[in-house]
Amino acid sequence: MPTKTLRIPTADGQADAFAAFPDDGERHPGVLLYTDAFGLRPELEARARELAEHGYYVLVPNLYYRHGPAPVVELPEHIGEEIRPAVIARLLPLLEAQTTEDALRDADAYLGFLATRSEVGAGPVGVIGYCIGAALAMRTATAHPGQVAAVAGFHPGFLVTDEPDSPHRRVPELTAQVHLGLAEGDLSPEAISELNQALDAAGVGYSTEIYPGTMHGFTMSDTAAFNPSALRRHWDRLLSLLDRTLS
């Protein structure tokens, strides 16, 4: 499975990124994968490799490139409950420093990069996000309705907020098909209802689903939240979505 470490020009500098793709010399649908709050690390590189094995060119950028190459803070091999608060405390200022405008400029650069790759087909792309990455995926999909055909978010954060630029307020511009796999407690019932109403009004195909018995972060095997059965469910939903929208 070929992989590359890349530097992608953006409006604000150079974003380091990881890419994985099939080793067959053919062109394949592009997938932009946004990481969770812990950022680009071996767990996400393995996720990209596994997805590439199903026939996709997968690009995973460093969310925090403005502050340095990944990892911007030291991460343990396993992020247990005892160390998680300290790690989040170090990352939170970096998250809070990124504006919606930053995210949209980055999305332009990442999708533009995929469009230039000889390994990537000319059709639409999919965008995936985990945790905070789900909000970035939704922002990317709503800002590029002609280019993004599928958007998936798992254990999402910050999809529905009180802010004027909350991702759910841009859903009327969405054309992509959507799957959102939530942990128990990720969103309140009221927030889920508001999000579903926006998706209904947009007229897109979607599913929002609470994965039973899960904690926030359930797909990540390097954290205490990992749930193997929920990860398998995630793969079932994700691959089905990508197959029907990008193949």
Side-chain angles (χ1 to χ4, degrees), residues 27-47:
R27 294 165 69 100
H28 296 275
V31 173
L32 172 59
L33 192 160
Y34 288 112
T35 72
D36 61 1
F38 296 123
L40 179 56
R41 59 195 192 281
E43 175 77 10
L44 275 300
E45 293 176 1
R47 184 73 44 89

Side-chain angles (χ1 to χ4, degrees), residues 176-229:
Q177 292 190 36
V178 178
H179 175 73
L180 298 173
L182 293 87
E184 295 179 351
D186 270 342
L187 294 176
S188 69
E190 294 77 16
I192 294 173
S193 176
E194 188 171 359
L195 180 58
N196 286 347
Q197 288 175 22
L199 290 164
D200 283 331
V204 299
Y206 77 94
S207 59
T208 55
E209 183 178 10
I210 296 174
Y211 290 18
T214 55
M215 300 169 54
H216 182 74
F218 58 79
T219 67
M220 300 298 167
S221 68
D222 64 348
T223 75
F226 180 54
N227 183 309
S229 64

Side-chain angles (χ1 to χ4, degrees), residues 57-158:
Y57 182 105
V58 187
L59 177 68
V60 191
N62 170 21
L63 298 184
Y64 305 117
Y65 74 87
R66 292 176 178 84
H67 305 277
V72 293
V73 304
E74 186 177 353
L75 297 173
E77 289 186 10
H78 186 266
I79 305 169
E81 285 302 311
E82 71 287 349
I83 198 169
R84 186 178 188 278
V87 176
I88 290 294
R90 295 178 68 187
L91 288 169
L92 191 58
L94 308 185
L95 277 174
E96 292 175 339
Q98 187 179 76
T99 67
T100 298
E101 290 72 23
D102 291 339
L104 293 175
R105 288 197 301 272
D106 289 347
D108 291 346
Y110 302 147
L111 294 182
F113 174 83
L114 286 173
T116 68
R117 300 303 299 177
S118 61
E119 304 95 339
V120 178
V125 303
V127 186
I128 307 166
Y130 300 86
C131 179
I132 183 63
L136 297 174
M138 188 66 77
R139 291 194 191 281
T140 300
T142 55
H144 297 270
Q147 193 171 356
V148 178
V151 58
F154 299 95
H155 37 89
F158 307 103

